Amino acid sequence: MSKTLTEHALIVLRQKIVSGTLVGGRRLYEVALAQELQISRTPIRAALSKLAEEGLLDRMHSGGFVVRRFDLRDVTDTIELRGVLEGTAARFAAE
């Protein structure tokens, strides 16, 4: 297998969040995810931490993670920011 177990868990979980399979506000449990993906909790824990760094999950004060909720403003802000970044990148490439 070319991907590590952490990378595999990261890809699968990211896809489930983006597709809406894991809905905003849902608490994620390491044991259940490990059983579902048939891997140990260590790569799950690492993937959850990475997804929190990416802003797709929120860390709970009591420990664990919750899928972040995105509202319409979050989506429009992201689209606007992407447009600005792409425009700037195009300008730098042209110079």
Side-chain angles (χ1 to χ4, degrees):
M1 177 185 248
S2 62
K3 295 181 198 119
T4 66
L5 293 175
T6 300
E7 289 170 333
H8 173 70
L10 184 62
I11 291 166
V12 170
L13 293 173
R14 185 184 297 121
Q15 182 179 9
K16 287 178 180 265
I17 293 168
V18 171
S19 71
T21 304
L22 293 174
V23 296
R26 178 177 173 184
R27 182 171 178 161
L28 301 179
Y29 296 94
E30 288 178 11
V31 174
L33 292 171
Q35 290 173 347
E36 180 182 336
L37 299 179
Q38 298 181 347
I39 58 178
S40 70
R41 289 172 55 193
T42 301
I44 295 292
R45 189 176 304 117
L48 293 174
S49 291
K50 178 67 175 165
L51 291 168
E53 290 173 14
E54 292 177 5
L56 294 174
L57 300 178
D58 289 325
R59 290 183 190 269
M60 298 178 63
H61 295 294
S62 59
F65 297 89
V66 174
V67 179
R68 183 167 176 220
R69 289 191 172 133
F70 294 96
D71 59 20
L72 183 58
R73 183 176 175 122
D74 293 326
V75 175
T76 56
D77 286 349
T78 301
I79 291 169
E80 288 177 17
L81 178 60
R82 182 175 178 177
V84 170
L85 292 173
E86 287 176 354
T88 303
R91 188 183 86 227
F92 285 147
E95 293 175 351

